[in-house]
Amino acid sequence: MFFLYKGIQSIYRQKSEDRKEGQATHLDRYDVLFLAKNMQKSFNCILLTLMCCLIAVKAHTSDSAFERIKHSLPQREAGWKIIKADDPYDQRDGSKQAHFLWANGVEEVGATVILYKSLKTAKDQFKRSHKDESSMDVFLVDGIGDEAYLFPPIILNQDGPFNLWFRKARYEILMSANSKNTVKRCAKYIIDSISQTNIQTDAAEPRR
């Protein structure tokens, strides 16, 4: 609006001077073109401002989601403390990633969280990682996010770590803990914190 105001002000100043000199003061086509250009500048500035505001709001929303994830365990169970919490950082593909580590004096839980730009990208990335591995099906688990795999310790009868890899909406998360029950329970705390965000989610689909 500043450009439009200055444009009109400039034209009327010139017309005022013309009036004093006894010249015609009607708007001609050059005045109209001048106004049109200034209106376009004003519109572009408003559009740019709105775009910047939308980007800022989106960034704040994603960062606040990471913040909720960081506090998800301590808020749900007494004794858990945040040992490590990365600030979310941008990846080349436009996703955001952060790593968290919690401890309660007895055990630790770690999580790497990735937030993709769209639900489709999140689904594609998750499936691409194991699309040619039919043996992965034996590790499928229900009741955790939209898709989930739970991997036991590499060495049989070893006490952890259990690795839980799952997706909830646009979030892909890899968690680890020495106890299967702990990693599954804490995963649900993280999922609850994600669900508080206004995000696009999967339609309910039956899984094996």
Side-chain angles (χ1 to χ4, degrees), residues 127-163:
K127 290 178 180 177
R128 185 176 296 124
S129 302
H130 60 274
K131 65 178 182 180
D132 296 325
E133 298 289 339
S134 58
S135 59
M136 286 277 289
D137 290 350
V138 299
F139 302 112
L140 270 170
V141 290
D142 285 322
I144 299 176
D146 299 311
E147 305 172 79
Y149 295 87
L150 179 62
F151 304 99
I154 297 175
I155 301 175
L156 292 177
N157 300 320
Q158 180 181 351
D159 292 333
F162 285 85
N163 293 294

Side-chain angles (χ1 to χ4, degrees), residues 24-38:
T25 58
H26 62 276
L27 292 176
D28 56 26
R29 66 187 184 89
Y30 298 104
D31 295 329
V32 174
L33 288 172
F34 182 78
L35 277 174
K37 288 181 180 179
N38 279 277

Side-chain angles (χ1 to χ4, degrees), residues 54-74:
L54 288 172
I55 292 172
V57 169
K58 188 173 182 181
H60 174 73
T61 301
S62 63
D63 289 347
S64 63
F66 278 101
E67 191 68 15
R68 282 196 295 273
I69 290 171
K70 180 174 76 173
H71 295 284
S72 58
L73 271 66

Side-chain angles (χ1 to χ4, degrees), residues 1 3 39-50:
M1 294 305 292
F3 290 106
M39 288 177 70
Q40 182 64 43
K41 288 181 180 179
S42 179
F43 175 77
N44 289 340
C45 285
I46 293 172
L47 185 61
L48 181 60
T49 301
L50 288 173

Side-chain angles (χ1 to χ4, degrees), residues 80-129:
W80 286 102
K81 294 182 179 179
I82 303 165
I83 304 302
K84 179 182 179 181
D86 293 342
D87 290 329
Y89 56 91
D90 296 327
Q91 303 276 39
R92 289 184 178 181
D93 61 0
S95 63
K96 281 193 170 188
Q97 181 172 323
H99 179 73
F100 304 98
L101 181 65
W102 303 270
N104 65 0
V106 178
E107 52 188 342
E108 294 184 349
V109 174
T112 297
V113 181
I114 303 173
L115 171 60
Y116 291 102
K117 295 184 70 175
S118 70
L119 180 59
K120 183 179 184 304
T121 301
K123 287 182 175 182
D124 291 346
Q125 288 291 343
F126 195 84
K127 290 178 180 177
R128 185 176 296 124
S129 302

